[in-house]
Structures are given as C-alpha cells and as structure tokens.
Amino acid sequence: YDNLRVLIFRKYGATLTNTCLVTYREKVLRKQDGVSFFGGSKDKPAAFTYPNGSTIVVGGMDDPDKVLSAEYDLIYENEGTELNEESHETLLTRLRNGVLPNMRIIADCNPTAAKNWLHLRCDRGQAKVIYSRLTDNPAFFNDDGSPTNAGAEYLKTLESLSGTRRKRFLLGQRVGVENAIY
C-alpha cells in the first residue's frame, strides 16, 4: 500500500535495536527493496522509508510523546506482554490513518503468566490468539517436520531448561507468577 504508516513498538524503544530490528534488517529486507533508515531527530521519529511513501516508525513507551499525535494503519507490538493494557489501549487510538482497509495491532510474545493482561484480553475475546510453534520456523524445521541443524542445536538448548522456563519456552505453556516479590 502506498503511504502506509506502520509502527513497530516495544516497552523500551532502545531494545528494538538489538532484537526484532536485527531480524528485520538481516532476514526480511533486501537491497533491491530500496528501503532507507532514518535514525530520528527531535522533530521526526526513527523510521524505515519505502520508495512508495510507506514508513515503518520504531519506538517505545519510554518516549510515548512521539506516538500520541501520530496516525497509523498497522501497529506491531514486539514482546507485547512487556507492555501494560493502558499502553496497548493508547496505541489502539492511533489506528486512524485510513490507508489499510483493516487497521489492526499485532502483538507477539512468548507464553508468560496465565494472568498477564494480553492473555486475559484474548480470553475475553478482545484479541485473537494465533499460536506459532518452533516447528513453524523454516530456519529450525524442514517442511517434513525434521529439524534443521540450527533447529536441532536450539532444541538441545530448550530441552536443557528447567521449571517455568522449560514449560514456557519449550512447551509453550502459560505459567509463571507475574509481579512476584521474593
């Protein structure tokens, strides 16, 4: 879509640099796409710009002022469970650019505490869960279901985990205690 406005968002914008934006730059973008990146200024947020006028702005709740007056067609909350419901609902009010026919927020997350706000929104029918498993990742599993070399190595790591981490990262279960104080 020409002039599409997308926001990639995380609790702390700086954490995007060494997480999902690495994947975006190294495994999604191609040189022939003609995408350029602007690192941001006091007047303009950091963004990827496409030849057709579309932009992907990157940011975080650590600097919400750069989001509040903006209009987007699509918002991607990276590690959505890091945010709180208030932040999520604030972002919902930014879906008003009108270029994309079905404006929406997409969040990704690893399973976390069953009472996490994002899980509860899904349980209430306010959001839809689309489950993704490690076996869905072509970097780790072949079409026939067998692990790639990288997949076999990563499985060894996951299988070595214990307790809640094993249940979350290997088995995909919603476990853990949110806001626990020891």
Side-chain angles (χ1 to χ4, degrees):
Y1 292 89
D2 292 345
N3 302 309
L4 185 74
R5 289 188 43 83
V6 176
L7 174 65
I8 296 178
F9 201 79
R10 194 158 177 174
K11 182 175 182 176
Y12 300 108
T15 59
L16 287 170
T17 306
N18 63 356
T19 57
C20 76
L21 293 184
V22 172
T23 304
Y24 184 66
R25 282 188 175 112
E26 294 180 4
K27 298 183 179 178
V28 176
L29 286 180
R30 300 168 303 167
K31 288 183 182 182
Q32 64 265 32
D33 292 336
V35 177
S36 60
F37 181 75
F38 170 71
S41 68
K42 67 177 185 161
D43 299 320
K44 194 173 178 183
F48 293 90
T49 305
Y50 285 74
N52 68 353
S54 294
T55 57
I56 298 178
V57 175
V58 296
M61 222 27 165
D62 48 334
D63 195 2
D65 292 339
K66 291 196 175 192
V67 175
L68 289 179
S69 294
E71 298 176 348
Y72 296 99
D73 298 289
L74 178 69
I75 297 173
Y76 164 46
E77 295 172 340
N78 178 237
E79 292 297 338
T81 53
E82 289 180 350
L83 298 172
N84 59 36
E85 194 162 18
E86 179 183 352
S87 298
H88 175 79
E89 289 181 351
T90 298
L91 291 173
L92 275 173
T93 67
R94 304 302 97 202
L95 289 173
R96 58 185 188 182
N97 195 46
V99 172
L100 190 65
N102 297 306
M103 295 179 287
R104 67 189 69 185
I105 287 183
I106 299 169
D108 72 1
C109 66
N110 287 299
T112 187
K115 299 291 182 190
N116 180 275
W117 71 271
L118 187 53
H119 293 311
L120 294 175
R121 270 185 93 81
C122 294
D123 293 346
R124 292 190 303 259
Q126 293 176 288
K128 181 180 179 180
V129 177
I130 300 172
Y131 290 99
S132 173
R133 307 238 182 317
L134 185 62
T135 54
D136 297 328
N137 187 332
F140 294 120
F141 281 84
N142 298 307
D143 290 340
D144 66 4
S146 63
T148 63
N149 290 339
E153 287 301 311
Y154 190 54
L155 274 174
K156 286 180 191 175
T157 300
L158 294 178
E159 289 167 350
S160 74
L161 299 176
S162 61
T164 302
R165 287 174 301 282
R166 180 182 177 84
K167 289 178 181 177
R168 287 178 58 213
F169 299 122
L170 178 64
L171 305 176
Q173 297 175 356
R174 292 186 193 180
V175 293
V177 179
E178 202 165 20
N179 300 321
I181 299 174
Y182 297 94

